[in-house]
């Protein structure tokens, strides 16, 4: 999805999960939309990020909300992040010959309190990650940077500083992404979300 502006990065810390995205959207090097949300809270412990073609993002988001609400009513139990990742993979694979032009990141905590990170490409291929993941136009530029700076059991302040710096650094090497970033931090013990806007 490098031809579409937008990137999402998720990092695991101590009892917390931090997910960040740039705030703008564009195509083929042109900035078309400002302050576009790319991170959506689908459940108490699950956050989903989408990058790609803006129309497909909101079209698939509506379909996914319907499928998740139907699954919750049918199963009558809490949905695990792996189940949502598998559901997304099935929905995208059904459209593999006329795919949604999106990449999706799923982050959250399992029922046992363990962090979970996974991503899905436009035809439903799943990748699992234990510490950090990046999708979108910045993924090639910043992955090695995150690998160098990330350490286990980082605090919430360290996670915020890391991701806001990474997006600003990556945007200097890739003009498709904006320098401003939206950062969401979820603490599993306090069961609360904290949202920040980091400006260039």
């Amino acid at each position: 999805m490098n031809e579409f502006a937008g990137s999402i990065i998720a990092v695991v810390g101590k009892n917390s999960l931090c997910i960040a995205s740039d705030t703008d959207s564009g195509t083929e090097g042109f900035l078309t939309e400002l302050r576009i949300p790319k991170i959506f809270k689908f459940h108490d412990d699950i956050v989903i990020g989408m990058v790609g073609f803006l129309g497909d993002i909101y079209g698939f988001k509506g379909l996914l909300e319907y499928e998740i609400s139907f699954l919750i009513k049918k199963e009558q139990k809490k949905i695990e992040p792996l189940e949502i990742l598998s559901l997304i993979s099935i929905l995208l694979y059904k459209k593999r010959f006329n795919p949604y032009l999106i990449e999706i990141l799923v982050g959250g905590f399992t029922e046992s309190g363990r962090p979970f990170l996974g991503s899905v490409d436009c035809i439903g291929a799943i990748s699992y990650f234990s510490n950090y993941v990046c999708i979108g136009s910045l993924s090639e530029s910043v992955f090695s940077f995150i690998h160098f700076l990330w350490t286990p059991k980082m605090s919430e302040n360290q996670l915020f500083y890391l991701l806001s710096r990474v997006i600003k650094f990556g945007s200097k090497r890739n003009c498709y992404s904006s320098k401003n970033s939206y950062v969401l931090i979820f603490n599993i013990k306090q069961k609360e979300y904290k949202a920040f806007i980091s400006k260039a």
Side-chain angles (χ1 to χ4, degrees), residues 10-20 39 41 43-47 78 81 107-111 113-116 154-157 159-160 163 182-196:
V11 180
V12 174
K14 183 179 180 181
N15 300 321
S16 59
L17 175 71
C18 186
I19 181 169
I39 301 173
K41 181 182 173 185
H43 201 268
D44 292 339
D45 299 338
I46 300 170
V47 177
K78 180 182 176 181
F109 287 89
T110 63
E111 194 170 357
R114 295 181 61 186
F116 177 90
M154 296 179 74
S155 67
E156 293 181 8
N157 291 334
L159 291 176
F160 172 75
L163 291 192
Y182 173 80
V183 183
L184 187 69
I185 300 175
F186 176 65
N187 188 298
I188 185 61
K189 286 192 173 181
Q190 299 175 1
K191 295 285 186 182
E192 66 176 1
Y193 286 89
K194 297 178 182 177
F196 304 93

Side-chain angles (χ1 to χ4, degrees), residues 3-195:
E3 63 269 22
F4 299 104
S7 299
I8 298 176
I9 306 169
V11 180
V12 174
K14 183 179 180 181
N15 300 321
S16 59
L17 175 71
C18 186
I19 181 169
S21 74
D22 58 353
T23 57
D24 302 337
S25 180
T27 179
E28 296 294 338
F30 293 96
L31 187 63
T32 58
E33 299 287 343
L34 300 173
R35 301 179 185 88
I36 298 298
K38 301 183 180 80
I39 301 173
F40 310 100
K41 181 182 173 185
F42 272 77
H43 201 268
D44 292 339
D45 299 338
I46 300 170
V47 177
I48 296 175
M50 303 184 193
V51 295
F53 180 57
L54 195 58
D56 285 352
I57 288 176
Y58 286 101
F60 188 79
K61 176 178 176 285
L63 173 64
L64 188 59
E65 286 174 341
Y66 170 78
E67 293 289 344
I68 289 176
S69 62
F70 177 78
L71 188 62
I72 290 174
K73 290 180 181 179
K74 181 181 178 181
E75 299 292 334
Q76 294 294 320
K77 68 180 183 66
K78 180 182 176 181
I79 298 180
E80 293 285 311
L82 180 59
E83 293 177 288
I84 290 186
L85 190 68
S86 300
L87 174 63
I88 291 171
S89 176
I90 291 169
L91 294 175
L92 290 175
Y93 186 73
K94 286 180 181 178
K95 294 274 290 182
R96 64 191 181 278
F97 297 116
N98 185 24
Y100 291 99
L101 300 177
I102 55 175
E103 285 182 271
I104 299 176
L105 184 151
V106 177
F109 287 89
T110 63
E111 194 170 357
S112 61
R114 295 181 61 186
F116 177 90
L117 287 176
S119 67
V120 189
D121 68 5
C122 63
I123 59 170
I126 296 176
S127 299
Y128 300 100
F129 303 89
S130 58
N131 301 322
Y132 47 82
V133 57
C134 179
I135 63 172
S137 58
L138 288 184
S139 56
E140 295 178 1
S141 302
V142 304
F143 201 83
S144 59
F145 191 47
I146 300 173
H147 179 74
F148 178 74
L149 293 178
W150 181 85
T151 57
K153 298 183 178 180
M154 296 179 74
S155 67
E156 293 181 8
N157 291 334
Q158 289 174 321
L159 291 176
F160 172 75
Y161 180 77
L162 169 65
L163 291 192
S164 58
R165 292 283 293 176
V166 161
I167 288 182
K168 289 179 184 178
F169 167 79
S171 63
K172 293 179 181 178
R173 303 179 65 185
N174 188 320
C175 63
Y176 283 2
S177 292
S178 68
K179 295 180 182 180
N180 300 330
S181 57
Y182 173 80
V183 183
L184 187 69
I185 300 175
F186 176 65
N187 188 298
I188 185 61
K189 286 192 173 181
Q190 299 175 1
K191 295 285 186 182
E192 66 176 1
Y193 286 89
K194 297 178 182 177

